[in-house]
C-alpha cells in the first residue's frame, strides 16, 4: 500500500459512497485511475466495501460491550452467542477477558435480559462484565491508514 492507497481509504472512511469523479481528484488521480486502485485493493482483500448500520437509527437504545470470562474453549461460547440477534459481534481476546461481545437492544431491560438469560447460562461462562452505552453515540470505524 502506498500513500495514494491510504488517501483513498481515508476518503472512503469519510464517505463510503463518494463518486469516483470526486474521489480521483481528492487523491490526485483521474476518476478511472481511482476506480482501478480501489478495485485492486478490493481484489487483494485489503479493503472490503460494506454497509454499516447505525444502531440508534435502527431502534437500538441500549448497547453494551460485554467482557466475558470462559472456562474452556471461548470459541464455543462465541459461536453460541453469535446465534442471537442482539449480538453484533464477538471477538476472541487475550488478557482479563476471553471474549468481547457487542450487544444492541431496544431497551435497557432487554440488555439486562440478554446478560442474565442468554450469556450467563451458556456452559463455560464464568463471569460477565457489562460496559453499557445508551444510544448516545453512533459507531465510527476509523482505522489508522496513515
Amino acid at each position: 500500500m502506498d500513500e495514494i492507497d491510504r488517501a483513498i481509504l481515508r476518503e472512503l472512511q469519510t464517505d463510503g459512497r463518494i463518486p469516483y469523479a470526486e474521489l480521483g481528484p481528492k487523491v490526485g488521480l483521474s476518476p478511472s485511475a481511482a476506480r482501478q486502485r480501489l478495485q485492486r485493493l478490493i481484489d487483494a482483500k485489503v479493503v472490503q466495501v460494506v454497509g454499516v448500520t447505525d444502531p440508534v437509527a435502527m431502534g437500538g437504545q441500549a448497547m453494551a460491550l460485554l467482557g466475558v470470562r470462559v472456562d474452556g474453549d471461548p470459541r464455543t461460547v462465541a459461536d453460541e452467542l453469535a446465534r442471537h440477534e442482539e449480538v453484533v459481534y464477538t471477538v476472541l481476546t487475550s488478557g482479563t477477558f476471553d471474549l468481547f461481545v457487542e450487544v444492541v437492544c431496544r431497551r435497557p431491560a432487554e440488555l439486562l435480559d440478554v446478560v442474565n438469560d442468554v450469556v450467563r447460562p451458556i456452559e463455560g461462562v464464568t463471569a460477565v462484565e457489562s460496559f453499557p452505552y445508551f444510544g448516545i453515540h453512533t459507531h465510527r470505524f476509523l482505522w489508522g491508514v496513515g
Side-chain angles (χ1 to χ4, degrees), residues 34-143:
R35 182 188 57 74
Q36 290 172 350
R37 281 282 191 127
L38 179 56
Q39 190 59 53
R40 182 178 52 80
L41 293 169
I42 292 169
D43 292 344
K45 300 195 185 314
V46 171
V47 66
Q48 182 179 25
V49 180
V50 299
V52 177
T53 60
D54 179 347
V56 174
M58 299 291 292
Q61 297 298 314
M63 296 165 270
L65 183 66
L66 306 179
V68 181
R69 291 188 185 95
V70 176
D71 180 25
D73 188 351
R75 292 173 294 190
T76 304
V77 175
D79 290 343
E80 175 60 31
L81 288 169
R83 291 179 182 66
H84 296 274
E85 68 180 61
E86 300 88 357
V87 174
V88 176
Y89 65 84
T90 63
V91 178
L92 297 168
T93 66
S94 61
T96 304
F97 299 104
D98 299 298
L99 292 172
F100 282 128
V101 180
E102 186 175 30
V103 177
V104 176
C105 299
R106 294 197 177 277
R107 298 175 298 117
E110 290 176 20
L111 178 57
L112 184 60
D113 290 344
V114 169
V115 171
N116 287 327
D117 301 337
V118 173
V119 181
R120 291 186 197 279
I122 295 174
E123 185 175 341
V125 171
T126 60
V128 180
E129 189 166 340
S130 179
F131 303 93
Y133 40 104
F134 296 99
I136 298 169
H137 305 294
T138 59
H139 287 71
R140 293 196 60 190
F141 297 99
L142 298 176
W143 308 107

